[in-house]
Amino acid sequence: MAIRSKSNKLPQTQVLKQILKRCSSLGKKQCYNYDENNLPLDVPKGHFAVYVGENRSRYIVPISFLTHPEFQCLLQRAEEEFGFDHEMGITIPCEEVVFRSLTSMLR
């Protein structure tokens, strides 16, 4: 299952780039330290932060996960439920135990 833009049908790579652009500027109201480019210092290059579960626990995941259909499905659910245009960052609508199980299979 691929990520599709509902409004203008952009190719998947462009949609993923847009998501990552939004990710890098989201979640800035948290108590995390940022570098001169406003990127969180605790997120290594090639990774991004997501928030999962009822407690909105923060997880750092590799960008390579974006190519996996299972992770893309989670992102679609996140977009449908929360959207990507808000200050919190990408919030994944699933239980933490399910998210940890999925990401352990993707590694």
Side-chain angles (χ1 to χ4, degrees):
M1 181 176 273
I3 296 175
R4 282 181 254 144
S5 174
K6 295 175 186 173
S7 60
N8 54 5
K9 306 257 183 191
L10 293 173
Q12 182 178 0
T13 54
Q14 286 182 321
V15 172
L16 293 175
K17 284 179 184 178
Q18 286 178 348
I19 291 170
L20 287 175
K21 256 187 176 175
R22 292 178 196 157
C23 292
S24 66
S25 63
L26 296 174
K28 290 186 179 173
K29 292 189 175 180
Q30 301 292 328
C31 299
Y32 303 109
N33 294 321
Y34 294 88
D35 67 11
E36 65 277 355
N37 296 316
N38 280 333
L39 298 173
L41 292 173
D42 66 331
V43 179
K45 187 173 184 172
H47 293 72
F48 63 102
V50 295
Y51 300 86
V52 181
E54 288 182 20
N55 297 324
R56 302 292 191 256
S57 299
R58 188 169 186 253
Y59 290 86
I60 308 300
V61 296
I63 289 174
S64 63
F65 280 11
L66 294 173
T67 62
H68 293 279
E70 298 86 358
F71 197 80
Q72 291 176 3
C73 183
L74 285 179
L75 289 176
Q76 283 181 322
R77 287 182 53 206
E79 182 178 30
E80 290 168 5
E81 189 162 330
F82 304 110
F84 292 133
D85 193 23
H86 57 86
E87 292 294 320
M88 177 60 187
I90 294 180
T91 304
I92 305 291
C94 74
E95 296 178 17
E96 284 186 67
V97 67
V98 173
F99 182 80
R100 285 193 303 264
S101 176
L102 173 68
T103 55
S104 70
M105 290 187 305
L106 297 178
R107 291 188 193 272

